[in-house]
Amino acid sequence: MDRTQLQRHLDDLLEAARFKDYCPNGLQVEGSGEVTRVVCGVTASLALIDAAIERGAQAILVHHGWFWRGEDGRITGMRRARIARLLAHDINLFAYHLPLDAHPELGNNAQLGRVLGLTPTAVVGDQGLLWIGESAVPASAGELAERFGAALGRTPLLVGDAQRTVRRIAWCTGGAQGMFEQAIDAGADLYLSGEISEQTTHAARESGVPYIAAGHHATERYGVQALGEHLAQSCGLQVAFVDIDNPA
């Protein structure tokens, strides 16, 4: 597939242009003009680049790419090593951050809901990043934490009232603990995201709404897999998902 066609397909599918983000979405590093093999992963780490080289991929597709707002823009150290490896092997880097979180079918929030058995009923927020839904079986916050941990293969951190009966759940993958108050205002009985901050514990205790931190990496493995499967089916590309373990 022509690189430009692939870029246009992904940009249009994920509506990349409509998002206000912390990084450029789309093609971040230009490589081969023709793409037949794609390696997908959560983050464009050196380990993922090496995995792509081993598999003979012409493109890498990730959720966490490079060139984040506020970063030092000099091409030194780790940044130089990563970019040099890509350029030496003529590999394209495609990255989609908020567009991949928000997509209604392939996105991280949609796919996490599927994995956890949550039925979405509403999407709120100006960029559609906070999802509201229900669990198939009402349970306490503690019981849901155990169930979610089994589904994700990672023990989550639960703060707040573990005995609270939960019917309405809000979630946003990754580092979205800052949306906790929006979840409370939306009437959630529980909020789930990837990370936790010091103040999150106090917010959970004082509001009565439990909070589950299920892991940034653990909650964001599924969108890029679904997107890769879409490329394989719709574009005829050879796609492999490589999960570089990350405890955060």
Side-chain angles (χ1 to χ4, degrees):
M1 185 175 189
D2 180 79
R3 178 190 62 238
T4 303
Q5 291 178 326
L6 176 58
Q7 179 182 358
R8 186 180 301 117
H9 178 75
L10 288 169
D11 287 351
D12 291 347
L13 175 67
L14 299 175
E15 298 182 285
R18 77 176 178 87
F19 287 87
K20 299 176 183 177
D21 213 333
Y22 318 103
C23 59
N25 287 298
L27 181 64
Q28 291 192 337
V29 177
E30 183 180 300
S32 172
E34 189 70 21
V35 177
T36 58
R37 292 187 179 91
V38 180
V39 162
C40 298
V42 177
T43 299
S45 64
L46 192 61
L48 186 68
I49 294 170
D50 286 341
I53 294 169
E54 291 173 5
R55 288 164 174 76
Q58 296 86 32
I60 295 173
L61 174 62
V62 296
H63 178 49
H64 299 139
W66 302 338
F67 314 116
W68 297 92
R69 184 189 306 160
E71 280 189 340
D72 187 339
R74 291 174 293 181
I75 310 301
T76 60
M78 292 186 298
R79 187 175 290 105
R80 181 191 184 281
R82 290 174 173 180
I83 293 176
R85 199 75 57 91
L86 276 187
L87 295 177
H89 293 272
D90 207 20
I91 298 175
N92 297 282
L93 175 62
F94 293 91
Y96 294 90
H97 185 230
L98 296 185
L100 187 55
D101 286 322
H103 192 274
E105 296 177 9
L106 305 175
N108 283 321
N109 284 331
Q111 291 298 313
L112 181 65
R114 176 189 61 78
V115 170
L116 299 184
L118 304 177
T119 302
T121 56
V123 177
V124 301
D126 61 344
Q127 300 201 80
L129 296 174
L130 183 64
W131 285 45
I132 311 292
E134 299 176 355
S135 175
V137 180
S140 70
E143 291 168 336
L144 286 175
E146 290 185 8
R147 188 186 307 166
F148 295 165
L152 296 174
R154 172 198 167 103
T155 302
L157 175 63
L158 169 65
V159 296
D161 183 6
Q163 301 305 313
R164 175 165 178 168
T165 300
V166 175
R167 295 179 178 83
R168 186 176 171 89
I169 298 171
W171 71 94
C172 182
T173 66
Q177 62 268 45
M179 300 176 72
F180 192 12
E181 287 192 44
Q182 292 182 51
I184 294 169
D185 292 342
D189 298 315
L190 178 144
Y191 179 51
L192 179 146
S193 188
E195 297 185 13
I196 188 168
S197 297
E198 189 274 341
Q199 65 267 27
T200 312
T201 298
H202 304 293
R205 290 171 178 169
E206 294 171 25
S207 68
V209 176
Y211 179 88
I212 293 178
H216 195 135
H217 179 85
T219 58
E220 296 197 323
R221 289 177 296 187
Y222 305 103
V224 74
Q225 290 185 62
L227 184 57
E229 291 168 3
H230 163 82
L231 291 180
Q233 294 170 7
S234 66
C235 302
L237 297 173
Q238 299 176 45
V239 181
F241 173 71
V242 178
D243 191 12
I244 306 297
D245 182 62
N246 189 332

